[in-house]
Amino acid sequence: MNPRPAIPRAIWALGFVSLFTDMSSEMVHGLLPILLAGGLGASALMIGLIEGAAEALVLIVKVFSGYLSDAMGRRKPLVLLGYGLATAVKPLFPLADSVATVTTARLLDRVGKGIRGAPRDAMVGDLAPPEVRGAAFGLRQSMDTVGAVLGPLIAIFLMWLLANDIRAVLWWAVLPGIIAVLLLLRLPEPDHPRAPARLPLTRAGLARLGPAFMRLTVLGGVLSLARFSEAFLVLRASERGVPATWIPSVLVVMSVVYALSAYPAGKLSDAMPRRRLLAVGMAVLVLADIVLAMAHTPVMLFVGIALWGLHMGLTQGIVATMIADVAPAEHRGTAFGVFNLVSGLALLAAS
């Protein structure tokens, strides 16, 4: 019996790129509402509109960047452009003297996320041997989430160290982004880049992605409809009397469980049918919703939040792996873009 191949070093590199980029983004994201409302006088409505427009941009750009990576036959240039743009606009946040400047920077940051998302996931699918594809997607997802945990914690420490100087902390957020781009620059193109493959973005063209992909996309949309934004976890904690000081721990607990479970779940999916593990993840989501609905104590509330993080670990990386499994290799970028658009719109409707 031949041993399973190791996860390629390039995927580890992509994992660290995701970790440092998310660390940088979450350092900014956690402080941005304070800068907007406190320093620049933006209303809650304005902050909500900025965030809504930013997330809508991500969904739209992902479709076209995934398609373009297929048409070019190369993933790295778009991945580098996406991460590079997100890093390049970070200095605009500490320099901002108006809501318009912050809005521009935030939208460009999200455009960068949209540009890199589908080509990066397609790149993982291209690079990972089928025997460890689940582990590869789980590893990248786990490292991404580790960055999302470390970012706010580092921001809290720096706020304490720098006497609540928000702009100084925002300057520090530039550094992890630069590290991510330098790592990505050293990442080589795959040895055998695929030939360009243009798929018409029409109903007939998308049908060439195959019935298995279409069924998975519908399933992903239904799964997203059963979820809601993590912001509602924060609201639930507030309703149940969690002190304001401890409210950030809601997302920390959720993200830690997510990070700890994503890689083991991905690795396990390489040894058993992925759909069974996905079904377990959906069952955990139902259980999490029940516990959160019935929670009357902080302990029960945080059990529900931990279950929510576990469902994320059991579903997100596995769904991405299943897309890589069923989508035609030459149209993998387009497939990830279309799937992310459908799931994102469903999550928006659910929220």
Side-chain angles (χ1 to χ4, degrees), residues 37-211:
L40 300 175
S43 65
L45 175 61
M46 177 60 69
I47 295 172
L49 288 173
I50 292 170
E51 289 303 308
E55 295 309 317
L57 265 178
V58 173
L59 298 178
I60 295 169
V61 175
K62 274 184 177 180
V63 175
F64 293 102
S65 66
Y67 169 80
L68 189 57
S69 75
D70 291 336
M72 292 169 56
R74 300 176 68 197
R75 314 285 191 204
K76 182 181 173 181
L78 288 167
V79 176
L80 182 58
L81 175 61
Y83 281 111
L85 179 60
T87 299
V89 301
K90 287 295 190 300
L92 290 179
F93 292 109
L95 291 172
D97 58 0
S98 68
V99 173
T101 302
V102 173
T103 302
T104 300
R106 181 65 175 152
L107 293 180
L108 288 173
D109 176 74
R110 295 296 87 183
V111 167
K113 180 177 180 179
I115 290 173
R116 69 183 182 251
R120 179 203 59 213
D121 289 342
M123 193 173 183
V124 174
D126 294 343
L127 291 168
E131 299 90 341
V132 294
R133 187 174 283 156
F137 274 101
L139 176 70
R140 197 214 63 80
Q141 195 73 59
S142 180
M143 295 180 75
D144 184 279
T145 310
V146 168
V149 174
L150 292 177
L153 294 178
I154 293 172
I156 291 170
F157 172 73
L158 288 174
M159 286 287 282
W160 169 79
L161 186 66
L162 300 173
N164 293 330
D165 187 339
I166 292 177
R167 293 183 185 272
V169 175
L170 291 175
W171 274 115
W172 276 99
V174 178
L175 182 58
I178 293 174
I179 294 173
V181 172
L182 292 176
L183 285 172
L184 192 55
L185 283 171
R186 293 177 59 85
L187 186 67
E189 286 281 355
D191 292 336
H192 302 288
R194 64 184 67 262
R198 293 177 177 83
L199 182 71
L201 290 178
T202 62
R203 183 175 179 180
L206 294 177
R208 288 162 54 186
L209 293 173

